[in-house]
Amino acid sequence: MGRSYKVAVVGATGAVGRQMMACLEERKFPVAELIPLASERSIGKSVSFAGREIPVQVLNKDSFAGVEIALFSAGGSISKEYAPIAAAAGAVVVDNSSAWRMDPEIPLVVPEVNPQDIALYKKRGIIANPNCSTIQMVVVLQPLHAAAKIKRVVVSTYQAVSGTGQKAVDELAEQVRALFNSQEVKKKVYPHRIAFNCLPHIDVFQDNGYTKEEMKMVNETQKIMGDKSILVTATTVRVPVFYAHSEAVNIETEKKLTPDDARKILSTAPGVKVVDDPAKNKYPMPLDAAGQDLTLVGRIREDFTINNGLNLWVVADNLRKGAATNAVQIAEILAKDYLK
Ligand code: NAP
Ligand code: 3JN
């Protein structure tokens, strides 16, 4: 039997933090002691873990004494300030925010794609977890890239409101209730009504006309796949779905891949499940992807407009594989190969 670890969860009261604790428990990660950390707003709250109620502590610079693994999901500014403090105290940080993702000294890791990059954590004590939309896409792209070299990716996302946090889940539910009761619809989280609507706007707009979420997909994909030559263009859209992001992905490859070739390659790819039987109405859907850890892929078909092109439909649980599960998988590799 291996040893167990003192683990801190920063942002333990949030949508991602709660899912991280659920994943640690479900996957039986060897936790000797759990330290749930959040803001002053959470004073007096506790979290359930392994059958116990554990009081939430207010994050401060002394929170990391003796902590070996610190899972962060409290936003970029908290990660910028506290991840180096946790690392200096001896913890290995797995950070869910975008704060460190593009830093060349910090590995950006999806275990099915680039587990070898974890070794680079020794430099700064921090490992970055990619954006949810990037994670589910690269899990599917990597095996196709290995077989046929991907030249270009055109992706459109259909992202669930849980990606914006618990308050957005509540807002969609409340707007639907209000509409069915002929009451005034209130909006606080999004600039427009999200119920029965689609917003082509995730994160902030940038000078180049793209949103920050769209540019995360471009830059993070190239870094994780270790290939700057892969061209990516993205349109990210918020849709009125509670859990699981969907993506329409078009790829152009150097070598020809038929849809059958792609299905065969993806059927043995780690973390992937092919759901592709249109004659029986079988294709990936958010309702099936939510609550489990595989990335579902289907609607695999030829793009007839180019020589070597494929269209795919990719769906995964954004809070699990898109955030918490990926972080806990990284912690599992740390425990197995580095922090023995
Ligand atoms: P959320 O539900 O709003 O939760 C935010 C968490 O951060 C809460 O636990 C909150 O504690 C804590 N927090 C906020 N300000 C803090 C402070 N000053 N000190 C200590 N803790 C503080 O948000 P979420 O959806 O879980 O997302 C949290 C972060 O995770 C995001 O900002 C993002 O960086 C990252 N994220 C990543 C992905 C991904 O794609 N990998 C997806 C979603 C989110 P209180 O309850 O005390 O306020
Ligand atoms: O909107 C989504 O579906 C995913 C959201 C991710 C997110 C939300 C707030 C801040 C991030 C992220 O992980 O990129 C961040 C951030 O840290 O920039």
Side-chain angles (χ1 to χ4, degrees):
M1 238 215 22
R3 66 186 195 84
S4 50
Y5 300 84
K6 183 167 171 177
V7 179
V9 174
V10 182
T13 53
V16 177
R18 279 185 278 132
Q19 187 61 57
M20 287 204 290
M21 292 181 295
C23 283
L24 287 168
E25 229 182 302
E26 270 175 40
R27 297 174 72 93
K28 300 189 170 41
F29 187 84
V31 178
E33 188 183 350
L34 182 89
I35 314 287
L37 299 163
S39 79
E40 286 180 354
R41 291 180 289 275
S42 295
I43 289 173
K45 286 189 191 164
S46 59
V47 297
S48 316
F49 184 76
R52 291 179 48 217
E53 288 296 310
I54 306 176
V56 175
Q57 299 177 28
V58 177
L59 174 67
N60 68 71
K61 61 180 177 26
D62 301 318
S63 296
F64 300 98
V67 169
E68 296 168 281
I69 298 175
L71 306 177
F72 273 64
S73 64
S77 56
I78 294 293
S79 294
K80 270 269 176 231
E81 183 177 352
Y82 284 94
I85 292 172
V92 183
V93 173
V94 182
D95 180 36
N96 256 285
S97 82
S98 59
W100 302 100
R101 286 180 193 150
M102 296 314 297
D103 186 318
E105 293 194 335
I106 289 179
L108 180 65
V109 176
V110 176
E112 290 85 347
V113 178
N114 61 336
Q116 70 286 355
D117 288 353
I118 287 178
L120 182 61
Y121 86 84
K122 288 176 185 157
K123 200 151 191 171
R124 303 274 293 278
I126 302 171
I127 301 166
N129 210 53
N131 178 267
C132 40
S133 300
T134 310
I135 292 177
Q136 69 183 69
M137 186 169 79
V138 297
V139 164
V140 168
L141 292 186
Q142 173 66 24
L144 301 176
H145 186 56
K149 194 165 185 349
I150 294 174
K151 286 162 56 179
R152 179 168 183 254
V153 180
V154 182
V155 55
S156 298
T157 69
Y158 304 66
Q159 296 183 219
V161 293
S162 53
T164 318
Q166 189 55 44
K167 57 197 180 311
V169 172
D170 298 341
E171 178 151 310
L172 173 58
E174 186 45 47
Q175 289 183 352
V176 171
R177 241 190 319 268
L179 282 161
F180 277 96
N181 288 293
S182 306
Q183 289 166 348
E184 184 202 349
V185 176
K186 297 194 179 111
K187 53 180 163 59
K188 283 198 206 116
V189 177
Y190 299 116
H192 304 281
R193 193 178 101 188
I194 184 63
F196 309 105
N197 202 6
C198 295
L199 313 181
H201 174 182
I202 298 183
D203 210 331
V204 293
F205 283 101
Q206 310 217 295
D207 289 344
N208 65 0
Y210 285 78
T211 65
K212 201 170 164 199
E213 184 84 350
E214 289 160 352
M215 294 314 296
K216 285 173 188 171
M217 292 192 78
V218 175
N219 298 323
E220 294 178 19
T221 298
Q222 292 175 343
K223 178 165 174 178
I224 298 160
M225 294 180 64
D227 191 340
K228 277 254 169 213
S229 75
I230 301 175
L231 303 173
V232 181
T233 184
T235 303
T236 58
V237 182
R238 187 74 62 196
V239 297
V241 164
F242 285 112
Y243 299 100
H245 290 355
S246 305
E247 297 176 347
V249 184
N250 173 274
I251 61 169
E252 182 177 3
T253 52
E254 208 161 276
K255 258 180 63 186
K256 177 94 185 158
L257 277 183
T258 66
D260 273 344
D261 293 335
R263 266 182 226 109
K264 195 159 171 234
I265 290 164
L266 291 170
S267 67
T268 59
V272 175
K273 183 177 177 193
V274 177
V275 181
D276 199 14
D277 192 354
K280 293 190 176 138
N281 297 335
K282 289 198 173 150
Y283 30 73
M285 293 182 293
L287 288 182
D288 295 328
Q292 57 84 60
D293 287 326
L294 295 171
T295 298
L296 311 182
V297 57
R299 299 295 323 280
I300 302 171
R301 61 209 190 277
E302 190 163 350
D303 172 359
F304 299 117
T305 66
I306 49 176
N307 282 333
N308 299 337
L310 286 175
N311 283 307
L312 313 123
W313 176 250
V314 178
V315 187
D317 187 319
N318 54 302
L319 293 182
R320 293 179 68 106
K321 184 56 191 164
T325 303
N326 199 73
V328 174
Q329 283 177 296
I330 292 171
E332 288 169 351
I333 296 173
L334 282 171
K336 182 165 78 67
D337 296 338
Y338 298 94
L339 304 177
K340 288 182 267 190

